[in-house]
Amino acid sequence: MTSATDPNFARPAPPTPVARAAREALFAAIIALGVFGPLLAFRTTQDMQNRLIVETRYGLIAIVVLLVFAGRFLLSLWFTRERPEAGPALGARLSGLMPQGLRDIVRTGLPPAALVALFVYPMMILSLTGGSGALKWIDNFGIQILIYVMLAWGLNIVVGLAGLLDLGYVAFYAVGAYAYALIATKVIPATFPGLGVWAFWICLPVAGILAAFWGVLLGFPVLRLRGDYLAIVTLAFGEIIRLVLINWTAFSNGYEGISTIPRPSFFGVPFNASDTGFAATFGLEFSPVYRTIFLYYVIVCLALITAWVSNRLRKLPVGRAWEALREDEIACRSLGINTVNTKLTAFAIGAMFGGFAGSFFAARQGFISPESFTFMESAVILAIVVLGGMGSLIGTAIAAVAMIGGTELLRELDWLKAIFGRDFDPAQYRMLIFGLAMVAIMVWKPRGFVSTRMPTAFLRSRRAVSADHVKEGHG
Amino acid sequence: MSEAILTVEHLTMRFGGLLAVNDLSFEARRGDITAVIGPNGAGKTTVFNCITGFYKPTQGRITMRHADGRTHLLERLADFRIAQEAKVARTFQNIRLFSGMTVLENLLVAQHNPLMSASGWSIGGILGLPAYGRAERRAIEKAAYWLDKCGLTDRADDPAGDLPYGPQRALEIARAMCTEPELLCLDEPAAGLNPRESLVLNDLLRFIRKEHGTSLLLIEHDMSVVMEISDHVVVLDYGIKISDGTPPEVREDPKVIAAYLGVDDSEVEKVEAEVGL
Amino acid sequence: MEVFFQQLINGVTLGSIYGLIAIGYTMVFGIIGMVNFSHGDVFMVSTFIALIALMILTTWIGVGSILIALLIVLIVAMIFTSLVSWTIERVAYRPLRGSFRLAPLISAIGMSIVLSNFVQVSQGPRNKAIDPILNHVFVLSAAGGYQVTLSYKQILIVVVTAILLAIFWWVVAKTPLGRAQRACEQDRKMAALLGVDVDRTISITFVMGAALAAVAGTLYLVYYGVVNFHDGFTPGVKAFTAAVLGGIGSLPGAVLGGLLIGLIEVFWSAYFSVEYKDVAAFSILAIVLIFMPQGILGRPDVEKV
């Protein structure tokens, strides 16, 4: 339907591919001039007197338009050569480029390999960098990505399995983080100061339970809602919680956030330079890297627990009910499934993992503020779930590594300054590229990286269900 | 004559200004196949949706009587409790399978409630207690039994959405039977089936009644199905019951013929002759 | 009482802006059943286009009459914003039509991220403030030491909104284009079978929504005099709330919803608390969606079994 009416494709007598590509490229270039022109050719900026003035950047817009022209030209040429009649949409044509066997390799070989890599990663980094640079690689890449993997796996229960579109997942992350921060900085010092070193291990389950409770609380009113409406209401809830955290300063200290949150201990042994600290206890030289490595293994365990539990639940009646709910809610009710409880369980369990992750986040940062829990975080987590392929743990993990790791890598591209000049900071393009990647991946593979579904039980043989049959849920 | 399993009394359903069902009363007897027939828009599916709890009737009472003497007032139960406690299962006019799940999984979802308690509300299941493993094996055996009865054993591990239309209908019936209902409500089970599939369906429905003691209530357009297998027929038109009796009685009823074929009373005989009645 | 009147004036002004943005949401939702998440950022882009056009006109070319300058700015903003929206639809939404339901939503969220970060990168993260324009005010009443004022720009906003809504209304109600839009809204497949160019109609819907958002963007610039790259999200959500409150899919509903949201926000800030005004907006959004998802002027949605 799309290509049939497209002026670019449906030409009665196609000219030579090159002429056609040139024409399409020219059209694209004109459009690009219009789209990018105002904002790229002119830049508003403050002058010495702090007044707004307009600067011109004609060179930049010329480069961009030329790039669009060249890109579109090559793309048209490439695709006309592939398929002269130019059939399906761009996305479908692009996915033809993906190797056929990749999906099977991903499913069978990747999980064990990834697991091994996960456990040796800090050691590998340590030996490669010799300690000094290791902190950044373990923390920014390892821990950072794993937090997102865990969050995405938690949200996957709600969105991927139960088909309930949740755009406010970050609220539960915030509940977990604030639960840990407030209990560890206010409640424990006031009641049982001796338990200080155990704070993280006491608060972790509490944070999870609190988040699950909030999951039920916020899940209850939205039970009847479907699809985009559910997404918007959950977005509203997420924003309300963030705005309350900002404005209710007596409770949360507002924008200032909560600092000096106690860091986790090695099961009672703190990571400090004292005689009872981790390094002294184990006869090592003190280094902050031990805590980072410990945190890394904590989040690895938390993420693996999330994966294990959700995988297990999927094969239990409740998990089947979630998936059935995603497929057809009315049929579920006709089979005696209590859809209210089923949905609330999904919300609660998803929220619980969000709470665990939040509490870990607070412990890792030592400081939290409402800035960390914006809508953008929810969008990023949801994007990871959808890009990975809803319901697929492997796909989700791949998406998290690609999206978070990929954008994080931009911080490492300092050599680009040599090309683009001293003011060029690749990191500020992080979210721009993230957004572009979201759009591109959706157009390329609308059902995500791993779109097939593995059955939870079989009579003779387990065969993957293709994405064409799997529904995405109405809620 | 056996006792009534389902008694509908003074059922009225109003949507805004539209009176879909008006003061309908009828009975379905235990062990019978009861058919509700009527022209398009007569309110048949509305009656079904009231019985199975998807609509709350404006007025009236629907009583389900179990073999052990317990009774349930269906208009007071939430829809999922009607399947779970009152043991009334249903199928849908436009088939509602879990198309992205396999045929077997469809039948396992139908056994949700017993499996749920066997899994200790998931806690025992997560811990991997053996009780759940046994329960799941039993559930798969039961599913395999129904797959065998529907001739779907070979397709057990295919996605339900892959099945042709006829087997999808059969699977939906099998899925409803996996909830172990005492009353099975079928919404146009023969719609879209070819004559051969229709015969197979008749056999399946007879088998269900005979071997499982399940009473059947069905809405049907296909007269060959209705007349051949039902014991009792209720005819609706414009939400009102116009006839009620055995298939031969109903077939003779001039009001039914008029309603069905939309002719004047004077032309009834001519039409009867044409359709071979 | 004076406070009340003042807030009423302010609320209607703000509500006009929300209403103009809300139409874009409601039309797109009506025709393809999608929450166009990037619409708020399209609005934000339009404020920047308007800003740049205004700067060029006043500082370089030196257009004397501010009203003529604003008229040109309005037209420029409408044209360029429409082009941006057309391109977004073409690149990010059209390839996903008829595909997995979540894909367009994710794509739209991605686009929203792209737009706000593109503006941040290309124009810088700082607030852009212009010299105040059209500042003259009429004092309507000065009883009890409290002045009730009506400024030129408030008059301008309400008048421009009214004129453009009238034009827009005429297009949707009286032209073949509007008829094609309403047909696509009812049944896209059937409309296509009857010879309506559905893709083109949808493109035009995006363009019209963006043009009205650009009007809102220009008025926003005139009213507040400050724009920022992250000013797309909150006005976007409020305008969406307005669309939902009025009944999504309903055009008069969007305008009515916009006015209500504007009034509620202004009165809430005046009488309760400024800090929690966004909480109020989000709460209304949640409450309306939960308890009356059909809105004030929308059609109820009946669950089919």
Side-chain angles (χ1 to χ4, degrees):
Chain A
M1 190 170 89
T2 48
S3 57
T5 51
D6 189 324
N8 293 337
F9 294 140
R11 291 243 167 72
T16 63
V18 175
R20 204 171 102 152
R23 195 148 65 177
E24 285 174 11
L26 189 66
F27 180 68
I30 293 170
I31 295 291
L33 182 66
V35 170
F36 297 116
L39 292 176
L40 281 187
F42 306 101
R43 183 189 162 92
T44 50
T45 183
Q46 266 86 3
D47 66 2
M48 292 303 190
Q49 286 86 45
N50 218 11
R51 285 184 41 218
L52 208 59
I53 54 161
V54 179
E55 290 172 352
T56 57
R57 293 182 295 199
Y58 297 131
L60 181 66
I61 183 73
I63 293 171
V64 168
V65 169
L66 278 177
L67 280 178
V68 169
F69 181 86
R72 177 69 197 170
F73 183 76
L74 292 177
L75 213 65
S76 310
L77 217 54
W78 171 268
F79 282 117
T80 36
R81 202 159 291 169
E82 285 285 285
R83 250 171 260 173
E85 74 277 22
L90 191 69
R93 282 189 272 161
L94 271 171
S95 51
L97 300 174
M98 182 133 168
Q100 283 298 315
L102 190 70
R103 202 173 287 156
D104 296 333
I105 296 167
V106 163
R107 187 167 306 115
T108 52
L110 199 68
L115 216 57
V116 172
L118 209 54
F119 277 99
V120 300
Y121 176 77
M123 306 306 164
M124 209 176 67
I125 291 293
L126 261 188
S127 60
L128 281 178
T129 59
S132 56
L135 216 59
K136 180 184 76 184
W137 285 94
I138 298 173
D139 195 49
N140 288 7
F141 286 85
I143 296 178
Q144 171 96 339
I145 292 175
L146 282 166
I147 290 179
Y148 280 99
V149 169
M150 177 172 176
L151 285 170
W153 279 345
L155 182 62
N156 182 50
I157 294 173
V158 184
V159 180
L161 295 181
L164 303 161
L165 194 47
D166 187 347
L167 269 181
Y169 190 62
V170 80
F172 309 124
Y173 190 42
V175 167
Y178 272 87
Y180 173 57
L182 290 173
I183 296 174
T185 58
K186 303 243 168 78
V187 180
I188 291 184
T191 49
F192 306 102
L195 288 174
V197 286
W198 286 96
F200 177 70
W201 300 103
I202 297 167
C203 294
L204 192 65
V206 175
I209 291 167
L210 263 176
F213 169 74
W214 275 90
V216 174
L217 208 66
L218 298 188
F220 202 77
V222 300
L223 284 169
R224 291 183 307 149
L225 295 173
R226 285 149 184 280
D228 293 357
Y229 276 19
L230 178 68
I232 300 291
V233 174
T234 48
L235 179 159
F237 282 158
E239 283 296 294
I240 290 172
I241 288 188
R242 186 178 68 89
L243 290 167
V244 169
L245 285 177
I246 289 175
N247 290 310
W248 189 8
T249 42
F251 173 74
S252 66
N253 206 21
Y255 272 119
E256 315 277 290
I258 299 171
S259 50
T260 62
I261 302 169
R263 319 297 294 267
S265 60
F266 184 78
F267 308 104
V269 184
F271 288 93
N272 55 25
S274 72
D275 288 347
T276 53
F278 178 81
T281 311
F282 291 88
L284 299 160
E285 201 182 322
F286 174 75
S287 161
V289 86
Y290 295 127
R291 170 159 57 204
T292 309
I293 293 178
F294 176 65
L295 282 173
Y296 176 86
Y297 282 113
V298 169
I299 187 69
V300 166
C301 292
L302 285 173
L304 288 180
I305 289 171
T306 312
W308 185 76
V309 168
S310 63
N311 211 19
R312 195 93 195 196
L313 283 172
R314 201 170 90 85
K315 294 182 174 135
L316 289 174
V318 67
R320 284 200 199 106
W322 288 337
E323 293 202 77
L325 203 63
R326 176 189 71 203
E327 299 282 324
D328 195 325
E329 185 178 338
I330 287 173
C332 278
R333 286 192 261 157
S334 83
L335 296 172
I337 295 175
N338 184 338
T339 51
V340 170
N341 287 356
T342 309
K343 282 184 185 179
L344 288 180
T345 337
F347 274 122
I349 293 177
M352 183 180 76
F353 289 120
F356 288 149
S359 143
F360 175 82
F361 174 77
R364 171 214 181 202
Q365 303 288 100
F367 164 77
I368 51 167
S369 76
E371 290 291 289
S372 307
F373 308 103
T374 56
F375 163 70
M376 205 41 74
E377 290 298 308
S378 291
V380 166
I381 303 163
L382 180 70
I384 291 172
V385 174
V386 177
L387 297 177
M390 298 204 332
S392 158
L393 295 179
I394 300 293
T396 308
I398 294 173
V401 173
M403 301 297 283
I404 304 299
T407 48
E408 202 65 29
L409 268 180
L410 286 173
R411 292 192 204 276
E412 306 303 316
L413 301 178
D414 278 345
W415 53 271
L416 283 173
K417 282 189 177 154
I419 305 173
F420 293 103
R422 195 153 289 279
D423 292 340
F424 184 79
D425 176 15
Q428 64 172 327
Y429 295 90
R430 224 169 60 92
M431 287 314 287
L432 182 63
I433 292 174
F434 190 95
L436 284 172
M438 273 170 80
V439 176
I441 296 173
M442 277 298 104
V443 172
W444 172 41
K445 285 183 91 66
R447 312 230 24 164
F449 292 137
V450 181
S451 52
T452 52
R453 168 182 179 273
M454 284 316 269
T456 59
F458 61 97
L459 203 58
R460 289 179 185 156
S461 65
R462 194 186 292 274
R463 287 194 300 268
V465 175
S466 96
D468 304 338
H469 296 295
V470 181
K471 298 213 174 92
E472 66 269 46
H474 301 281
Chain B
M1 194 130 118
S2 58
E3 50 136 6
I5 184 165
L6 182 81
T7 315
V8 175
E9 290 161 283
H10 307 291
L11 180 70
T12 300
M13 185 72 209
R14 197 187 294 274
F15 297 106
L18 179 77
L19 196 59
V21 178
N22 188 6
D23 196 29
L24 173 73
S25 303
F26 71 89
E27 269 186 4
R29 282 182 296 273
R30 182 174 306 286
D32 268 9
I33 296 180
T34 308
V36 178
I37 65 169
N40 280 334
K44 305 179 300 271
T45 299
T46 307
V47 172
F48 248 51
N49 285 339
C50 288
I51 293 172
T52 50
F54 284 91
Y55 294 159
K56 289 285 155 239
T58 317
Q59 270 169 40
R61 191 160 69 168
I62 307 166
T63 318
M64 172 78 193
R65 225 167 262 104
H66 288 263
D68 59 13
R70 285 179 306 132
T71 60
H72 285 287
L73 294 176
L74 299 188
E75 79 279 2
R76 294 186 190 170
L77 286 183
D79 45 15
F80 74 92
R81 288 194 193 283
I82 289 181
Q84 189 183 1
E85 289 163 19
K87 294 284 168 206
V88 178
R90 72 169 289 177
T91 65
F92 297 88
Q93 196 172 341
N94 45 341
I95 305 173
R96 286 182 172 273
L97 289 173
F98 306 122
S99 57
M101 302 175 88
T102 64
V103 169
L104 179 71
E105 284 180 300
N106 267 272
L107 300 184
L108 291 180
V109 171
Q111 303 177 53
H112 176 82
N113 289 317
L115 280 176
M116 196 71 182
S117 48
S119 75
W121 282 268
S122 304
I123 295 163
I126 289 184
L127 298 175
L129 297 186
Y132 175 68
R134 284 196 298 273
E136 188 175 69
R137 271 193 298 282
R138 274 198 307 276
I140 292 178
E141 274 163 30
K142 184 164 154 196
Y145 166 83
W146 281 108
L147 290 175
D148 181 46
K149 292 298 166 222
C150 302
L152 286 170
T153 310
D154 291 338
R155 315 252 359 214
D157 298 318
D158 289 340
D162 250 357
L163 296 180
Y165 193 76
Q168 285 200 4
R169 285 248 173 245
L171 176 60
E172 211 190 10
I173 294 172
R175 188 179 68 180
M177 285 310 292
C178 277
T179 65
E180 306 209 319
E182 287 200 24
L183 176 69
L184 176 62
C185 301
L186 305 165
D187 197 345
E188 302 210 10
L193 300 188
N194 63 34
R196 195 167 40 85
E197 287 172 328
S198 203
L199 286 180
V200 174
L201 173 77
N202 287 358
D203 289 341
L204 178 66
L205 296 185
R206 284 207 192 89
F207 168 82
I208 286 172
R209 170 169 64 161
K210 187 154 159 275
E211 298 298 320
H212 291 266
T214 306
S215 315
L216 278 83
L217 179 69
L218 56 101
I219 292 180
E220 194 45 83
H221 262 128
D222 185 339
M223 279 304 154
S224 68
V225 175
V226 173
M227 295 306 166
E228 206 184 312
I229 67 169
S230 20
D231 305 294
H232 175 197
V233 179
V234 176
V235 189
L236 293 189
D237 194 14
Y238 294 111
I240 299 165
K241 183 168 85 174
I242 57 171
S243 185
D244 188 351
T246 61
E249 284 167 17
V250 167
R251 183 156 46 191
E252 306 284 297
D253 191 330
K255 273 199 282 186
V256 175
I257 297 164
Y260 243 81
L261 303 174
V263 293
D264 293 341
D265 288 73
S266 56
E267 289 177 283
V268 165
E269 266 175 55
K270 197 175 118 223
V271 175
E272 273 185 324
E274 274 173 8
V275 297
L277 290 175
Chain C
M1 202 61 202
E2 281 73 26
V3 179
F4 175 83
F5 276 118
Q6 185 64 59
Q7 301 310 331
L8 194 66
I9 293 169
N10 297 349
V12 169
T13 318
L14 187 60
S16 305
I17 294 176
Y18 288 150
L20 285 168
I21 310 175
I23 287 177
Y25 280 110
T26 220
M27 286 210 312
V28 168
F29 193 91
I31 202 159
I32 54 174
M34 163 193 165
V35 178
N36 180 11
F37 218 94
S38 63
H39 191 62
D41 290 288
V42 168
F43 158 77
M44 180 275 297
V45 166
S46 81
T47 63
F48 271 83
I49 295 174
L51 170 73
I52 289 167
L54 186 68
M55 294 294 297
I56 291 174
L57 284 173
T58 51
T59 58
W60 290 6
I61 304 173
V63 176
S65 158
I66 191 71
L67 279 178
I68 292 174
L70 282 180
L71 185 67
I72 300 171
V73 167
L74 186 69
I75 293 167
V76 168
M78 284 171 82
I79 291 170
F80 282 101
T81 310
S82 302
L83 193 65
V84 169
S85 183
W86 180 86
T87 312
I88 291 173
E89 195 272 333
R90 189 68 191 76
V91 171
Y93 304 154
R94 192 183 293 182
L96 296 171
R97 206 163 295 149
S99 133
F100 187 53
R101 192 181 51 89
L102 271 182
L105 185 72
I106 298 297
S107 192
I109 294 174
M111 257 306 159
S112 148
I113 296 175
V114 168
L115 288 176
S116 60
N117 283 279
F118 174 70
V119 172
Q120 182 189 5
V121 169
S122 64
Q123 297 292 324
R126 294 175 65 173
N127 273 344
K128 310 282 177 186
I130 55 167
D131 298 331
I133 42 175
L134 294 176
N135 262 340
H136 187 82
V137 293
F138 298 109
V139 177
L140 299 184
S141 131
Y146 186 93
Q147 289 191 341
V148 178
T149 60
L150 176 65
S151 67
Y152 270 171
K153 51 188 171 192
Q154 285 175 322
I155 299 173
L156 179 82
I157 287 169
V158 173
V159 169
V160 170
T161 305
I163 293 171
L164 278 150
L165 284 181
I167 296 172
F168 171 78
W169 182 254
W170 177 81
V171 169
V172 171
K174 302 281 181 207
T175 62
L177 172 69
R179 194 156 50 234
Q181 271 176 339
R182 280 175 285 139
C184 290
E185 206 172 302
Q186 295 283 322
D187 188 337
R188 223 155 69 207
K189 214 171 267 172
M190 195 63 212
L193 286 173
L194 295 175
V196 174
D197 187 342
V198 174
D199 279 333
R200 198 174 137 255
T201 311
I202 292 172
S203 277
I204 292 173
T205 307
F206 274 86
V207 164
M208 283 164 75
L212 290 177
V215 176
T218 311
L219 299 176
Y220 183 90
L221 176 71
V222 172
Y223 195 49
Y224 290 104
V226 180
V227 295
N228 189 290
F229 76 95
H230 56 57
D231 277 350
F233 179 69
T234 307
V237 172
K238 285 180 188 162
F240 179 75
T241 309
V244 170
L245 182 61
I248 197 139
S250 153
L251 298 178
V255 180
L256 177 68
L259 289 176
L260 280 173
I261 290 293
L263 288 168
I264 291 169
E265 182 179 330
V266 163
F267 278 106
W268 182 279
S269 305
Y271 290 101
F272 298 100
S273 87
V274 185
E275 289 85 35
Y276 284 95
K277 76 177 183 339
D278 290 349
V279 173
F282 283 112
S283 306
I284 291 167
L285 177 61
I287 290 166
V288 169
L289 279 176
I290 292 167
F291 294 106
M292 45 180 290
Q294 76 280 7
I296 299 170
L297 299 176
R299 288 178 293 266
D301 186 26
V302 181
E303 181 183 62
K304 279 274 184 202
V305 176

